[in-house]
Amino acid sequence: MEREILDTLKYQVTVPTSHTFLVRFLKAGHADKQIVQLACYILDGTLESYKLIQYLPSQLAAAAIFIARRTVGRNPWSPTLLRYAIYREEEVALVARDILAENQS
């Protein structure tokens, strides 16, 4: 049965990573080069923390963008990001706090 499923899908099976979500959210948020680079740097740093494994890849990506936007002085969350990420600013802020706390320890 598994073979039939894989044949039907033409073996195009993948698991979305936090980077996949990051790219999508950055496009939705019309990020400039500075925000893109900063968000990528922040997201890469989350790979070093065992504590952050509790969060979904999409949550980590959203929080990285939140931190990057806030760092460069832009509104940290927007209605467009809410629409694409489906996370409210309050939810993203909690994950962002944990990321920043891990970076400081």
Side-chain angles (χ1 to χ4, degrees), residues 7-22:
D7 285 341
T8 301
L9 294 173
K10 297 180 182 157
Y11 289 89
Q12 293 183 2
V13 182
T14 185
V15 176
T17 65
S18 55
H19 187 266
T20 305
F21 288 103
L22 183 71

Side-chain angles (χ1 to χ4, degrees), residues 20-53:
T20 305
F21 288 103
L22 183 71
V23 170
R24 177 175 167 78
F25 298 160
L26 287 169
K27 285 181 184 178
H30 305 291
D32 60 18
K33 186 176 181 178
Q34 185 180 21
I35 291 175
V36 169
Q37 290 176 341
L38 187 54
C40 285
Y41 176 77
I42 293 164
L43 188 61
D44 285 348
T46 65
L47 296 172
E48 300 172 5
S49 173
Y50 184 73
K51 180 185 176 199
L52 297 175
I53 211 163

